[in-house]
Amino acid sequence: MSNTQTIWYNMLKMDDFIPPKKNKHNDEHCWLCGGKLNENSWAIKDAITSSFTDVSLAKNNASNSVCCACVALMKKEAWYEACEKHSNSPYFPIKEGKKPYLANWVFFSHIFNDNKWVIPTRAELEQCLLNPPQPPFSIVITETGKKHLIFKSNISLSRDHFFVQLEEQSINVHLDDFKKLHSTVKEAYNLGFSKDSILTGHYNYSTVLKIGFKIWQDIENKLKKVRNTNKKLLSLSCFVVQKET
Ligand SMILES: [Zn+2]
């Protein structure tokens, strides 16, 4: 099973997402994920719209067919079905006096594991990264809410060493390293340094003076190492870090 198939069938426990027309092609493997096809595969032209820009990521260019899981994890109709099954609202938060507006996979971050699907807030993402769910699981985080990311994500099999799909980046997370880094980031953020300065190393001088040169230097020495060796991990930490209340 491919990663999308694992998410759709094993984690979301969904059935085949049936194509509008029978696929006439006789392919064995999915164009996008490379996973095995069953009798309900989709023809590419029915499955993929012209707005799909990640053609170069297709695992099996020789195929003219896409599996139900890959299609489902991109289509609104399947989003709706999965929301119904898992008691998530398929709509954007409803504003008073406005009609409900149907959302889709791309607008949200996702945490999938066995029969569980969470659409997390950033605070929930922070908790999830510090205390990962029972494997196998998949964590997909969007910053822009604009692109299909689920098919790019990896399945994690360990809580100590796992993957996070942060927008286009696949990040390898060693839990101990992340915890250590994140406590420094959290300290810096709560002292008043901006996320941007933590990420780039370009600090506002008056903030440094206000907080104290020695404190800043201790923090920056730790951050600098990671900024130079594992910028992805630092960007993940900055994305989810919360102010202590
Ligand atoms: Zn597929």
Side-chain angles (χ1 to χ4, degrees), residues 103-232:
N104 198 354
W105 304 101
V106 294
F107 296 108
F108 306 106
S109 298
H110 304 277
I111 303 166
F112 303 104
N113 70 337
D114 185 34
N115 207 13
K116 197 158 176 244
W117 169 29
V118 176
I119 298 174
T121 60
R122 284 202 208 196
E124 286 167 335
L125 279 172
E126 183 185 45
Q127 287 315 307
C128 168
L129 295 178
L130 294 170
N131 186 19
Q134 190 63 33
F137 61 86
S138 182
I139 302 172
V140 183
I141 303 177
T142 183
E143 291 179 284
T144 65
K146 283 188 180 151
K147 292 201 78 180
H148 287 295
L149 301 176
I150 300 175
F151 80 93
K152 297 175 187 171
S153 74
N154 286 300
I155 306 292
S156 298
L157 301 173
S158 155
R159 304 180 73 208
D160 300 324
H161 176 209
F162 56 93
F163 301 101
V164 174
Q165 187 69 34
L166 174 62
E167 204 69 35
E168 300 290 343
Q169 309 184 90
S170 178
I171 305 177
N172 270 310
V173 181
H174 286 272
L175 184 60
D176 290 343
D177 293 349
F178 180 77
K179 279 183 175 167
K180 208 167 122 197
L181 170 65
H182 195 66
S183 80
T184 309
V185 168
K186 205 169 172 80
E187 185 191 354
Y189 187 51
N190 278 285
L191 281 168
F193 293 112
S194 70
K195 287 189 184 193
D196 193 53
S197 64
I198 295 168
L199 196 58
T200 60
H202 300 138
Y203 294 89
N204 181 317
Y205 191 57
S206 65
T207 314
V208 172
L209 288 182
K210 198 170 90 199
I211 289 160
F213 193 76
K214 177 77 178 69
I215 296 171
W216 166 75
Q217 207 169 35
D218 286 348
I219 289 173
E220 174 53 15
N221 279 339
K222 291 182 207 162
L223 292 175
K224 191 157 61 184
K225 270 188 210 145
V226 183
R227 198 179 296 121
N228 291 333
T229 56
N230 198 348
K231 184 98 187 254
K232 286 179 174 183

Side-chain angles (χ1 to χ4, degrees), residues 2-5 29-37 65-71 151:
S2 71
N3 293 344
T4 45
Q5 290 172 350
H29 294 98
C30 172
W31 171 77
L32 186 55
C33 72
K36 206 132 171 56
L37 294 170
S65 309
V66 184
C67 74
C68 292
C70 283
V71 181
F151 80 93

